[in-house]
Amino acid sequence: MTETALRSYKITPEDKQTFERDGYWISPKLLTDEQIERLRRAHERIWSGQYDGDNFPMNHRPPNKNPDALRKLDNGWWINDDIRTTVTDPVMGEWAADLLGVDEIRLWHDQVIYKPGVGDQETSAGNVGWHQDFGYWQCSSTTNMVTVWIALQDTDLTNGGMSTILGSHHWGLVPDSNTFFDQDMDALKKKYTSGGREWVEEPCILKAGQASFHHALTFHGSGANRTTEPRLSIVAHLMPGGTHYKARVQRHDNIRLLGPRPSDGQLFEGVYFPSLYKRR
Ligand SMILES: O=C(O)CCC(=O)C(=O)O
């Protein structure tokens, strides 16, 4: 199939069933080869401090001095035009709307993630701990949100690709599951299976330009990149239109984007939360 034909793919009832049963779905190739190249270049530019426009990303932190550490920033779309095009892509929005069963999709925020290749070195510096995304997003009125993890190279466990825990979105929100930055995978697994939960790890195997869509309650994480090339990705976190702020539950940087005095029930909408797709 041509690249354009792949982008005209429509979600089938089987895709939706897979997403609802397993908590994730792997898409056809979403990006063209040209877009992949542009986004790989976007990574290079961002990590060398070249930004489009005058803003800074959200969660702007000084770079970690450890060359093996995971690099990550949020809202790359504020500082890079190619990332902006990708994370506001209406095709991705339509696929997300169909999987979540909603009529509109807005951007919650994005992430730009670079996982260095460490070969056979003993290090956990690139690990992403098992976590639920909604563990961080409890100020949002709905758990019916989705993360789209877009691969900028072929990705599997060899280069530190993600795994999801099959069906774990059915567990509901697990307390203290905001453990992205805890790098002891075994300890986290022990913590989350202590109640006798069945733990089945499913590797997300992606060709460059493909994306995995995982539910906001699906546990996921990733280990070392055993190659010598970095693993590059762009991640879009998406929410249904009409998602609103739940006050006094949990802090999140998105709350600031509601203005100086956010109020309970205020919609996450407007320029910081662009609409990707609205059903006609
Ligand atoms: O890049 C990874 O390995 C994990 C990213 C992640 O946790 C996410 O996209 O929600």
Side-chain angles (χ1 to χ4, degrees):
M1 235 191 283
T2 64
E3 290 185 324
T4 320
L6 288 166
R7 281 179 55 80
S8 65
Y9 184 82
K10 298 287 174 208
I11 298 291
T12 65
E14 291 72 34
D15 295 332
K16 195 161 155 51
Q17 213 176 19
T18 302
F19 181 73
E20 284 169 357
R21 185 191 59 223
D22 298 342
Y24 79 101
W25 171 75
I26 306 282
S27 83
K29 196 165 174 233
L30 174 66
L31 302 180
T32 63
D33 289 341
E34 193 202 325
Q35 270 178 304
I36 296 169
E37 275 323 301
R38 293 178 81 95
L39 291 166
R40 292 182 65 85
R41 173 84 188 119
H43 261 270
E44 257 173 57
R45 292 187 61 231
I46 283 181
W47 302 121
S48 64
Q50 293 173 58
Y51 296 172
D52 295 334
D54 265 353
N55 207 349
F56 293 97
M58 193 164 81
N59 288 328
H60 178 63
R61 295 198 188 98
N64 191 317
K65 298 247 172 8
N66 178 354
D68 298 335
L70 190 85
R71 297 184 210 166
K72 156 177 145 54
L73 56 78
D74 295 350
N75 280 339
W77 75 277
W78 292 356
I79 54 153
N80 183 280
D81 295 337
D82 292 309
I83 294 177
R84 183 191 185 102
T85 306
T86 302
V87 301
T88 56
D89 181 350
V91 170
M92 179 174 74
E94 183 175 353
W95 291 351
D98 288 349
L99 292 172
L100 296 182
V102 300
D103 290 333
E104 188 183 16
I105 288 290
R106 285 183 182 271
L107 181 64
W108 173 244
H109 69 82
D110 73 31
Q111 293 185 90
V112 181
I113 303 182
Y114 176 112
K115 184 186 288 206
V118 293
D120 51 15
Q121 275 186 78
E122 269 317 306
T123 170
S124 58
N127 287 6
V128 174
W130 301 114
H131 67 282
Q132 288 178 307
D133 291 340
F134 199 79
Y136 291 93
W137 300 344
Q138 296 173 53
C139 67
S140 148
S141 59
T142 179
T143 57
N144 194 27
M145 296 167 77
V146 66
T147 291
V148 187
W149 194 100
I150 310 170
L152 301 183
Q153 65 287 299
D154 294 353
T155 304
D156 60 21
L157 294 187
T158 338
N159 57 350
M162 266 194 325
S163 295
T164 55
I165 305 304
L166 202 63
S168 53
H169 59 311
H170 295 305
W171 302 346
L173 178 64
V174 172
D176 304 321
S177 62
N178 50 347
T179 43
F180 183 108
F181 294 104
D182 295 6
Q183 295 183 310
D184 185 340
M185 307 303 276
D186 292 338
L188 289 170
K189 175 175 168 184
K190 207 161 153 201
K191 165 177 162 179
Y192 295 128
T193 50
S194 63
R197 298 184 184 102
E198 197 191 358
W199 186 268
V200 182
E201 294 176 22
E202 284 265 310
C204 293
I205 299 171
L206 303 169
K207 290 277 178 211
Q210 273 187 299
S212 68
F213 286 61
H214 66 254
H215 188 276
L217 291 172
T218 301
F219 273 90
H220 56 287
S222 62
N225 173 0
R226 292 280 164 224
T227 69
T228 49
E229 293 297 320
R231 188 212 69 174
L232 310 182
S233 61
I234 302 293
V235 180
H237 300 301
L238 306 176
M239 63 179 160
T243 301
H244 64 258
Y245 170 49
K246 259 170 70 182
R248 288 173 290 279
V249 180
Q250 188 187 40
R251 200 193 153 278
H252 188 283
D253 277 348
N254 274 1
I255 301 171
R256 289 173 194 245
L257 306 178
L258 295 175
R261 199 49 85 84
S263 56
D264 191 40
Q266 188 175 340
L267 290 174
F268 288 109
E269 63 175 12
V271 285
Y272 285 113
F273 305 103
S275 179
L276 280 67
Y277 171 77
K278 195 164 187 172
R279 214 177 291 284
R280 277 181 270 159

